[in-house]
Amino acid sequence: SLALLGVMVNAHYQYLPTVANLFGRVAENEVALPQLQLIRDDVRRTGRLPPKGSTVHLAIPATQSGFPARDGYLYVPPAFFAEQTPDLPILMLLHGTPGGPEDWLVGGEAERVLDSFAASHDGKAPILVLPDVTGGEFADTECVDSVRGHAETYLTVDVPDFVRQTLDVGSARWGRGRPLDGRLLLADALASPS
């Protein structure tokens, strides 16, 4: 009867929308970080963008903050792989407590939403960054630097530096014309997808 209760609660909230999610699968198009270059090489060889974006599960180092972050995720849309990569906005989504970065992919279906958006915009959609903001399932940092950890420095320095270096996005827009500082607004990123 406990299993039935779990099924009923999930049917209402749809947190685990697929059986694969129930068994731990977070993203439909999950690849390892080195595979991004292989996909880019394939696009250059064939001239065809992939039909969907790619999601990478990875550790985002806390080089300045020392914050004990769990692994996060990056999503890159199909246009990221183009020979001339367009300027793509970068959107950072922060999870709640309790929770983790995977919540946006599982319950929020962010990968599916962005793939759908990209399909109707020539492969363009925001690059999605899903860092850990708490350091634990039930921890709560309020995203500030405190005795609980330097979450603010992690989000405003470490994460943007890592994304800039790892994806070679240079001066990509994080928000409306603001410098790359990690303080983002969803409306800003979606207002100008090109």
Side-chain angles (χ1 to χ4, degrees):
S1 70
L2 188 58
L4 178 60
L5 177 62
V7 168
M8 291 172 52
V9 169
N10 188 59
H12 177 74
Y13 290 105
Q14 296 182 352
Y15 179 74
L16 299 171
T18 70
V19 174
N21 295 137
L22 178 65
F23 291 102
R25 184 174 179 147
V26 172
E28 181 181 333
N29 302 311
E30 191 171 327
V31 300
L33 188 59
Q35 287 178 280
L36 295 181
Q37 186 58 50
L38 297 175
I39 296 168
R40 181 169 272 160
D41 293 344
D42 188 55
V43 168
R44 288 194 174 122
R45 186 176 46 74
T46 65
R48 289 192 321 260
L49 293 176
K52 295 183 176 189
S54 296
T55 299
V56 180
H57 176 224
L58 74 175
I60 302 174
T63 54
Q64 295 293 316
S65 66
F67 183 68
R70 297 170 290 171
D71 288 355
Y73 294 86
L74 293 174
Y75 165 89
V76 293
F80 173 80
F81 301 105
E83 191 163 338
Q84 294 294 320
T85 303
D87 289 333
L88 299 168
I90 299 174
L91 176 63
M92 185 187 306
L93 297 180
L94 309 178
H95 63 85
T97 301
E102 66 281 355
D103 293 347
W104 285 105
L105 296 166
V106 177
E109 298 185 73
E111 183 184 56
R112 183 190 59 75
V113 169
L114 288 175
D115 279 342
S116 177
F117 184 88
S120 61
H121 291 87
D122 300 318
K124 297 176 192 168
I127 293 171
L128 188 61
V129 181
L130 305 170
D132 179 34
V133 301
T134 60
E137 184 74 20
F138 295 99
D140 189 3
T141 64
E142 300 293 329
C143 298
V144 299
D145 289 346
S146 72
V147 296
R148 294 180 182 171
H150 292 214
E152 182 177 359
T153 301
Y154 179 69
L155 295 172
T156 61
V157 177
D158 294 335
V159 173
D161 284 352
F162 175 77
V163 171
R164 199 176 18 236
Q165 293 165 5
T166 303
L167 298 182
D168 191 27
V169 292
S171 61
R173 291 178 296 130
W174 290 60
R176 186 176 299 151
R178 287 190 292 272
L180 183 63
D181 70 354
R183 291 179 175 94
L184 311 172
L185 296 172
L186 173 61
D188 287 342
L190 296 179
S192 179
S194 60

